[in-house]
Amino acid sequence: MKTAEMMNTYPAAINLDRDLLARTVDALVACAQACTACADACLSEEMVADLRKCIRTNLDCADICATTARVLSRHTGYDANLTCAQLQACAQACKSCGDECEQHAGHHEHCRICADACRACEQACNELLAAIG
């Protein structure tokens, strides 16, 4: 991805480690994609009614991850309180989605892959939160 390359072109100071920030954005984008694809795959399963909660959780997580990636990609007029609140919400969405997908991972490979992406993204959000302090 071009995330780190773009972060390094930002002309003003960024009060966070740019590499950590770029890795977090990459994890967010990857998670949003995995959740979107998982929701779509769930819709194609024979027992789609059994996957309603999974689909909903996937779509919520995808939206929250995509929004968080956009928030973290903007640095002008940075508001640490807003960023922290968004990261906390995103970590929770990833935890919820990872937990839900994990329940279906034994039957659906797309849910296993999505759960892994959610866990990685949750960890990335929490690492960035710790760095922000």
Side-chain angles (χ1 to χ4, degrees):
M1 291 190 135
K2 297 281 185 184
T3 309
E5 192 175 349
M6 281 303 298
M7 295 263 174
N8 289 330
T9 67
Y10 186 72
I14 296 177
N15 295 334
L16 297 167
D17 178 283
R18 289 181 192 224
D19 289 331
L20 175 60
L21 198 53
R23 284 193 310 273
T24 304
V25 170
D26 287 343
L28 288 159
V29 171
C31 190
Q33 189 281 326
C35 289
T36 300
C38 187
D40 184 64
C42 286
L43 287 169
S44 294
E45 294 290 350
E46 290 295 321
M47 304 297 287
V48 68
D50 295 340
L51 296 167
R52 282 188 184 129
K53 183 176 180 189
C54 191
I55 294 164
R56 168 60 193 262
T57 308
N58 281 159
L59 295 175
D60 287 349
C61 190
D63 288 346
I64 293 167
C65 285
T67 299
T68 305
R70 289 191 304 273
V71 168
L72 293 180
S73 295
R74 296 189 287 257
H75 309 290
T76 304
Y78 172 76
D79 182 338
N81 292 324
L82 178 63
T83 299
C84 287
Q86 187 66 39
L87 282 166
Q88 289 166 343
C90 192
Q92 182 58 58
C94 290
K95 179 175 180 3
S96 296
C97 191
D99 289 349
E100 180 62 29
C101 280
E102 212 167 78
Q103 292 179 27
H104 307 285
H107 293 78
H108 307 292
E109 183 69 3
H110 52 85
C111 286
R112 185 197 62 75
I113 293 167
C114 188
D116 289 348
C118 288
R119 299 286 182 236
C121 192
E122 177 187 3
Q123 181 178 346
C125 287
N126 285 328
E127 286 175 10
L128 186 55
L129 274 166
I132 293 172

